[in-house]
Amino acid sequence: MFLFPAEETADLWFAALTREPDPAYWVFAWREGGWKLVAGALPLDGEAPDAAPTGIGPAETAAVQATLVPQSHLSYLTDPAGLTGISFPSGDPVRDLRDELRDRPARVRPDRLTADVDLSADEPARTLALADGGALVFHTVEITFRQRPRSGAKTPAHPIYGKRDLRAFTGTAKPSRITGTELLILATRVAVDGSLSTVASRRVVTDVTTG
């Protein structure tokens, strides 16, 4: 099934929803004279929401909230105390990620671990209208982990990546420091009332260095 945005923009793109072998979204954008896959596969977590007919946009509240989705995720993930008022349902991957960012440094002690969360500068957020008046937003969050061994140690005691990934990216299974970049690619549903939930997601490690 092919899904198209309600309005044409300078960023020409469309999404595809495949059912077999596993339901997933794929996002394509026009790049250098051809269609390029820019996000996918994004496996669904449950049922895919019904898209609105081509040319029909989301309801006003959902349309406004859709423009704020990337910043809402950034605010949520960098607020472990939950003071922003932004929420996600129990079991949502974004909620699980915030818990991980909060708890992971304690799990790798005596190593020192920090995490920076930002919005991807490579791909813009892209919005589809849904049949119920809501919106579906495809966007990407970038996470940078920096792991250092305890004072006096040569290598981290509890590397956050396995030996296979470390060798593949850095050439050694025991680097003195680890800096890892990960992308969390999301399809976020915005309900008519403005509430957020994750429909599909994919998390990938894009780079690991010893710096």
Side-chain angles (χ1 to χ4, degrees):
M1 177 185 297
F2 295 100
L3 309 168
F4 299 92
E7 298 178 358
E8 289 190 11
T9 64
D11 173 43
L12 298 178
W13 70 280
F14 70 93
L17 174 60
T18 55
R19 303 290 186 180
E20 300 292 342
D22 297 304
Y25 285 110
W26 309 74
V27 180
F28 298 84
W30 186 261
R31 294 287 186 272
E32 299 177 353
W35 292 105
K36 176 184 176 183
L37 178 67
V38 295
L42 304 182
L44 266 71
D45 182 12
E47 293 294 325
D50 292 330
T54 302
I56 297 179
E60 183 177 355
T61 300
V64 171
Q65 182 62 30
T67 65
L68 303 175
V69 161
Q71 186 59 48
S72 295
H73 279 72
L74 186 60
S75 298
Y76 180 84
L77 291 171
T78 55
D79 174 39
L83 301 178
T84 62
I86 301 168
S87 63
F88 288 84
S90 177
D92 192 287
V94 174
R95 187 168 178 171
D96 293 343
L97 175 58
R98 188 180 70 169
D99 292 345
E100 177 188 337
L101 295 174
R102 179 194 63 206
D103 299 338
R104 200 171 188 181
R107 295 203 301 266
V108 299
R109 289 175 183 163
D111 300 332
R112 294 167 291 175
L113 180 68
T114 61
D116 294 323
V117 183
D118 209 342
L119 304 180
S120 173
D122 294 331
E123 296 295 336
R126 300 178 170 97
T127 302
L128 289 173
L130 298 178
D132 62 4
L136 187 65
V137 183
F138 298 98
H139 59 110
T140 303
V141 173
E142 184 175 286
I143 312 151
T144 303
F145 290 105
R146 294 181 176 86
Q147 186 176 15
R148 307 292 182 264
R150 64 176 175 80
S151 179
K154 294 183 178 180
T155 60
H158 307 288
I160 60 173
Y161 300 113
K163 291 182 178 180
R164 178 178 296 180
D165 283 339
L166 290 173
R167 285 198 184 97
F169 282 104
T170 71
T172 176
K174 294 184 177 181
S176 58
R177 296 184 176 191
I178 297 171
T179 297
T181 302
E182 301 183 17
L183 297 181
L184 179 65
I185 310 167
L186 297 155
T188 299
R189 182 174 190 166
V190 183
V192 175
D193 64 2
S195 59
L196 307 176
S197 60
T198 303
V199 172
S201 65
R202 184 181 186 88
R203 183 172 169 180
V204 293
V205 179
T206 59
D207 193 26
V208 181
T209 67
T210 60

